Amino acid sequence: MAYKLSQSCTGCDICRTQCPTGAIKVKDNQTWIDPNLCNNCEGYYPEPQCVIHCPISSPVPAQGKKGRYKLNERPPTSPDLFADDKTNPFASSIVIWEACNLLAQRLSLPWHTDASGKFCYQRQVRQGQGEVDFWLTDTFDTDSTDTLSADEAQATLEAMDIKATCLHLIYAAYATGLEKPWQEEFTLNDVQIENYLGLEKRTDLSKAAKLSLIKQLAQQPCQISIGAHWSKQGKVPEFSLPQSRLWHLQPIEHHFQEDEQGYKHLVGLTFRIRAGIWAKYFLNRQGCQNRTAFYQYGNLPQTLLSAVMSNWQHHEGATRMMLWLLFKTRIGKRQRITVPTLMRVAYGEDKLLRASSQRDERKRLVRTFESDLEVLSHYGLKPVFDPVTYLPEIQPMWAKLGELPDDADAALEFWIQDGNSNRRLTDAAPRGKWNLLMKARILWFELKAEWEHALTTVEPNKVRLTKRKTKSQSSILSGADVIAARQRNKLSQRDLAQLTGKSQSWIRDIEKERFRIKLEDQRMLQEVLGLAELSSG
């Protein structure tokens, strides 16, 4: 009943210290398990300790599992996200944004050693009136704030996976469903994560490989600790946030299935997570109403998670920009963004500096940037170029061909006119294109439906939370009215969603008054819930 190490083993040596029989050994810098000593931890522990303590659950039974992976009983989890199969609210404060940048851009960010000698990433906010600081740790003890040294932190950053941003955003989405996320936990398992990330379609990965990947990605956002100082903003008083965990990860539950030979195969994982104390200041609904804290959230498009999982390897720059724009577009649709800013996000300051002095690197970076913009356009984030600074002759070829008519005769006429013009689409770019790009701007990004939905639901809510009213002039029904009427009719949120043709998350947002109800939707709810008399009152 011996175990062996899979090819994904990183040689971290954690498992060797946990093995009760001394079966895990190192020879010629290679870690291996002696089958003559490994006994499945029988007589010592109920579960194999190497699997439990390995950061990626690399050890697997020496004999592969036959038949389907089956887990009869799973611990209950929090409700699934994306009830409408499109979007879900998620925490979108500066803390979440910069942590997302940290996981996506890693060593490309300007890390430094702070006054206490800790390796730190700092983001100045509000014109230097405040700051948010980030550190890394390699432990998951929720009470520990041990910080990695510069060398250790750099090694950890190099090993981080950009796909971990998906788990970070999923955690931020779950946190919005809690009344006090800094006190309450949410629970999710490997099956839910597999569905969110689209891993159920990866037939090239074994179950053990998927569990290993999920465990690794789930832990990485929990290696971040944060601190902040925020000056007085509006009626929210000044506050300081001591160094604490971004996400508190409780001990992971490993679920095993034993086969006829006595091998225990890992078949499932359950994660229990709680938001750090930052949520008390940036995701506090009651505090926002009392003007003592903020409640900042946006809408997370489900397509973003699949886009990250599809493009991280071949278009990492596009993936970085996509994640950054998720938060940038929340501030307002028409945000003018310079090309150097996007390039820093996508490739880092070092690559930008090298391109400025090396011609080959410059040409390569421009090609990559234009290709990454095309990827963004494909996923519904179409850049609108500033005609003054981003001249047509330096725009990407794919953008120019976007003007090509679909009709064959019209397309022929288009090419005839192009051939007779002084400058044709296929002409080489003008000399000094790089210098022109460094001054170019993108006016905004045309957004696909899910992203547009995110903006239209966030902005009215932002006004509602910052401008408290005793009675809404534009809304007849309150969330409390809908809840009371639904319960009086003995309807669940799902039942009401089916009766109205809406999603369950829409019903939930209405009841929590996350946005204003349109007049036609008010009338529909009044009719379904038997509240028509309110319209005349």
Side-chain angles (χ1 to χ4, degrees):
M1 295 186 293
Y3 280 74
K4 64 179 181 180
L5 294 173
S6 66
Q7 294 181 348
S8 61
C9 176
T10 59
C12 65
D13 206 36
I14 294 176
C15 59
R16 188 171 64 84
T17 60
Q18 301 294 333
C19 180
T21 64
I24 302 177
K25 302 178 180 180
V26 179
K27 184 177 181 181
D28 297 330
N29 293 324
Q30 294 292 322
T31 306
W32 63 289
I33 299 178
D34 188 339
N36 298 316
L37 296 177
C38 179
N39 71 341
N40 205 16
C41 292
E42 206 168 283
Y44 296 94
Y45 301 99
E47 298 170 337
Q49 295 301 289
C50 57
V51 181
I52 297 292
H53 293 282
C54 176
I56 59 173
S57 293
S58 173
V60 295
Q63 181 176 324
K65 186 182 183 306
K66 297 180 181 179
R68 298 184 64 183
Y69 284 80
K70 186 177 180 181
L71 188 59
N72 294 327
E73 293 185 7
R74 283 182 177 269
T77 62
S78 302
D80 290 344
L81 303 175
F82 307 109
D84 62 354
D85 294 326
K86 292 183 179 180
T87 63
N88 200 93
F90 81 112
S92 61
S93 67
I94 188 68
V95 171
I96 299 298
W97 185 0
E98 286 305 324
C100 186
N101 288 339
L102 188 158
L103 291 165
Q105 301 175 38
R106 305 179 294 282
L107 285 170
S108 297
L109 295 175
W111 292 82
H112 71 282
T113 302
D114 63 16
S116 60
K118 299 177 180 179
F119 199 58
C120 173
Y121 164 58
Q122 183 180 90
R123 166 68 189 272
Q124 297 285 329
V125 294
R126 305 191 65 223
Q127 291 79 43
Q129 297 181 39
E131 62 186 43
V132 182
D133 300 296
F134 296 85
W135 302 270
L136 292 176
T137 178
D138 60 353
T139 67
F140 299 101
D141 180 358
T142 58
D143 296 323
S144 172
T145 55
D146 291 341
T147 304
L148 296 178
S149 65
D151 292 340
E152 293 171 330
Q154 289 181 40
T156 299
L157 287 168
E158 289 176 354
M160 278 187 165
D161 194 326
I162 192 173
K163 298 190 292 295
T165 55
C166 293
L167 273 296
H168 172 62
L169 295 174
I170 289 170
Y171 297 164
Y174 272 107
T176 58
L178 303 175
E179 191 65 30
K180 295 182 178 180
W182 61 94
Q183 294 179 351
E184 305 170 56
E185 293 179 353
F186 54 86
T187 305
L188 67 163
N189 61 32
D190 61 285
V191 175
Q192 291 173 300
I193 295 174
E194 190 174 329
N195 291 332
Y196 297 148
L197 303 186
L199 291 176
E200 78 279 3
K201 302 173 185 176
R202 292 288 303 273
T203 56
D204 58 314
L205 294 178
S206 66
K207 181 66 175 180
K210 289 180 181 179
L211 290 172
S212 176
L213 176 61
I214 288 171
K215 184 176 180 179
Q216 181 182 10
L217 297 181
Q219 292 179 117
Q220 288 184 7
C222 305
Q223 291 182 259
I224 302 172
S225 61
I226 70 162
H229 174 73
W230 204 270
S231 60
K232 185 177 184 295
Q233 184 172 348
K235 293 190 176 181
V236 177
E238 179 181 4
F239 62 85
S240 291
L241 179 62
Q243 183 178 352
S244 57
R245 294 276 179 168
L246 176 66
W247 301 108
H248 294 273
L249 175 64
Q250 306 304 322
I252 301 171
E253 294 183 49
H254 298 73
H255 309 295
F256 293 88
Q257 181 182 356
E258 188 170 346
D259 61 18
E260 295 177 353
Q261 287 75 34
Y263 285 107
K264 293 180 179 177
H265 299 265
L266 181 65
V267 295
L269 299 166
T270 299
F271 305 92
R272 290 185 299 116
I273 298 167
R274 173 170 52 85
I277 194 63
W278 60 267
K280 186 176 181 180
Y281 300 91
F282 294 100
L283 196 65
N284 187 337
R285 187 180 292 107
Q286 186 62 44
C288 183
Q289 293 176 354
N290 296 333
R291 313 290 180 86
T292 59
F294 302 100
Y295 186 71
Q296 299 172 336
Y297 81 97
N299 270 17
L300 174 65
Q302 188 173 14
T303 53
L304 175 69
L305 302 181
S306 58
V308 172
M309 297 300 293
S310 300
N311 293 282
W312 69 272
Q313 191 168 18
H314 299 294
H315 296 282
E316 183 176 348
T319 304
R320 287 184 177 191
M321 286 191 284
M322 208 176 299
L323 291 164
W324 186 78
L325 287 168
L326 171 67
F327 297 88
K328 187 68 174 178
T329 54
R330 178 190 176 276
I331 299 173
K333 178 182 174 182
R334 302 210 169 192
Q335 288 282 324
R336 294 191 176 188
I337 305 171
T338 65
V339 168
T341 296
L342 279 177
M343 284 190 172
R344 288 188 185 95
V345 169
Y347 317 112
E349 183 70 28
D350 289 345
K351 278 193 176 181
L352 202 59
L353 290 175
R354 284 200 302 271
S356 299
S357 58
Q358 299 176 22
R359 184 171 181 270
D360 290 341
E361 185 70 24
R362 186 158 57 240
K363 292 172 65 176
R364 186 160 45 247
L365 191 62
V366 170
R367 285 196 301 268
T368 303
F369 178 67
E370 293 181 345
S371 175
D372 286 339
L373 285 182
E374 185 176 12
V375 171
L376 292 183
S377 180
H378 172 74
Y379 281 94
L381 293 166
K382 184 179 179 181
V384 177
F385 303 104
D386 181 3
V388 177
T389 61
Y390 213 135
L391 302 174
E393 52 264 32
I394 64 171
Q395 291 177 13
M397 178 60 69
W398 62 265
K400 300 175 186 177
L401 293 177
E403 302 173 2
L404 185 64
D406 294 329
D407 180 72
D409 292 335
L412 178 60
E413 181 65 25
F414 174 87
W415 285 116
I416 291 174
Q417 292 180 2
D418 179 71
N420 292 328
S421 62
N422 293 330
R423 184 166 188 82
R424 293 171 288 275
L425 291 183
T426 54
D427 285 351
R431 293 178 61 86
K433 179 178 178 177
W434 174 262
N435 293 331
L436 293 173
L437 281 174
M438 291 300 98
K439 300 175 182 177
R441 293 178 301 184
I442 292 175
L443 295 179
W444 67 83
F445 283 83
E446 292 182 354
L447 307 176
K448 65 189 304 184
E450 293 92 330
W451 295 63
E452 288 281 10
H453 173 71
L455 287 174
T456 55
T457 55
V458 169
E459 292 304 320
N461 193 63
K462 182 177 178 183
V463 176
R464 187 190 67 80
L465 287 176
T466 55
K467 220 175 179 180
R468 191 177 181 183
K469 297 180 181 180
T470 57
K471 184 176 180 181
S472 175
Q473 298 175 354
S474 59
S475 175
I476 298 173
L477 286 178
S478 68
D481 291 333
V482 176
I483 293 173
R486 177 173 60 78
Q487 293 175 345
R488 187 166 57 250
N489 287 277
K490 297 181 179 180
L491 297 173
S492 66
Q493 288 183 341
R494 179 175 295 181
D495 294 334
L496 183 56
Q498 291 176 347
L499 290 172
T500 57
K502 298 288 187 177
S503 67
Q504 186 175 344
S505 63
W506 186 86
I507 299 296
R508 183 175 62 245
D509 288 346
I510 289 296
E511 293 185 348
K512 291 186 176 181
E513 299 184 350
R514 287 178 170 165
F515 57 84
R516 297 173 182 172
I517 315 175
K518 294 180 180 179
L519 183 59
E520 57 268 27
D521 290 334
Q522 291 181 39
R523 291 171 178 168
M524 175 186 61
L525 284 170
Q526 289 168 0
E527 182 177 352
V528 171
L529 295 172
L531 298 174
E533 64 274 8
L534 288 179
S535 61
S536 60

